[in-house]
Amino acid sequence: MQEIGTALTSHGKVVVRNKTYEREFIPLDEECDCYTCKNYTRAYIRHLIKANEILGVRLLSIHNLRFLTKLMERVRIEIENDNLLEFKKEFYNKYGYTKE
Ligand SMILES: [Zn+2]
């Protein structure tokens, strides 16, 4: 189950609610082209989540939906290139999944 305040990124999961991100003035995912990543920092989104401001989860949803859309685009490309299993392995490693 996904924890509230979690972003899916090209480098794995970012639990933005964690104190680690308190002073990270960078986007959730520097490789992402969504509205949230273009306009807000991890530190600000963390602040919103901690303050129970609804904008925090809304910004995370915008990012996570864009991430999933791009992931599906990538999956289609990997299927066409007959490379899906390799991509799956790479993806699971980033997300810490141990099962194949
Ligand atoms: Zn984004």
Side-chain angles (χ1 to χ4, degrees), residues 12 26 59:
I26 58 171
L59 291 173

Side-chain angles (χ1 to χ4, degrees), residues 28-29 32-38 62-64 66-67:
L28 289 172
D29 186 347
C32 182
D33 61 355
C34 81
Y35 173 79
T36 301
C37 291
K38 284 185 171 178
I62 290 168
H63 167 77
N64 284 334
R66 180 66 183 134
F67 176 85

Side-chain angles (χ1 to χ4, degrees), residues 59-72:
L59 291 173
L60 276 174
S61 294
I62 290 168
H63 167 77
N64 284 334
L65 288 173
R66 180 66 183 134
F67 176 85
L68 291 172
T69 303
K70 284 196 325 192
L71 178 64
M72 290 305 111

